Amino acid sequence: KLLVESDFNPPKRKLKNAHKGNFGHCCIIAGEKEGASILSALSAFAFGSGLVSIIGDVKNPPYHIMNSRTLPDNCTSIAFGMGLGDRINKYNFDFLGEIPSVLDADMFYSPDLPDIINKGNIVLTPHLKEFASLLTNSLFGDFNMDYIAKNRIQLIEEFSYKHKNVVLLLKGANTIIAQDGNIYINNFGNNNLSKGGSGDVLSGMIASLLSQKYSLLDAAITASLAHSFASRQIKTSYGLEPFDLVEEIKKF
């Protein structure tokens, strides 16, 4: 299915007598490059989560973002992998599967991927190179980049049939989202998104919607569309910064 603007379903707060706990607690796992976790946390907060925490050591978290060394008991979603780097071996993954999660970036190089994916309840957000690693490390198959680029829809469809309890979002000029063999294509993207940090913002947005009780698929579709629509508000092809996206997603 080719996504259209009416597929966009941003969070709407209908409760009048509400408090921050009604809108979820999104937890971002910090990595070696702590800026990635801060970008994800800011986008999660901007896209509606009532509470956002960065888990791990961060020197100067934004004043409205909490910081903890352990997952809080009221955590309702997790984003993991952004800027993870050398810390990949410092975490266990017992929490994955129980809490809806987004996996990105360095997590696709983890040898623990087969066990993690089998737990389900996860949105995977690789770009093409990370997708190649995901296919290899999840024991799906070993393919070169040219083959993947030419056959990505077929590979995504087959991967999603095999792993029915995850949603796969392959970033690119046309973002492809899949679950259980069903394919959704977002062609609203913009080449100004080709900047470091854009993917960190997207991971935080998806995790934010998961914390607000969106399904895996609905969170991936709506966050992807919002990410694209926000990028179109930047009128140059070169000037976008991740903070621009964070500011624009507040306006939907």
Side-chain angles (χ1 to χ4, degrees), residues 157 160-167 178-183:
E157 183 179 35
S160 69
Y161 270 131
K162 182 177 179 180
H163 301 288
K164 297 180 184 297
N165 295 321
V166 306
V167 166
Q179 184 179 43
D180 194 14
N182 296 303
I183 302 290

Side-chain angles (χ1 to χ4, degrees), residues 13 18-25 45 48-52 66 74:
R13 295 190 170 188
H19 58 83
K20 57 184 177 288
N22 293 127
F23 305 107
H25 188 168
F45 201 92
S49 291
L51 295 164
V52 177
M66 295 180 289
N74 63 346

Side-chain angles (χ1 to χ4, degrees), residues 165-176:
N165 295 321
V166 306
V167 166
L168 174 62
L169 183 154
L170 180 63
K171 294 177 284 196
N174 293 311
T175 296
I176 304 170

Side-chain angles (χ1 to χ4, degrees), residues 103-155:
L103 262 62
D104 190 26
D106 292 328
M107 280 305 300
F108 299 120
Y109 301 96
S110 170
D112 295 302
L113 266 182
D115 291 336
I116 293 170
I117 291 174
N118 286 337
K119 291 181 178 182
N121 206 17
I122 292 171
V123 179
L124 307 169
T125 60
H127 56 54
L128 200 63
K129 183 179 178 182
E130 292 164 348
F131 184 45
S133 184
L134 168 63
L135 294 176
T136 300
N137 287 341
S138 65
L139 308 180
F140 183 86
D142 193 0
F143 306 94
N144 64 51
M145 292 288 291
D146 287 341
Y147 181 89
I148 293 172
K150 293 175 182 177
N151 297 277
R152 59 187 180 276
I153 291 181
Q154 177 187 342
L155 290 169

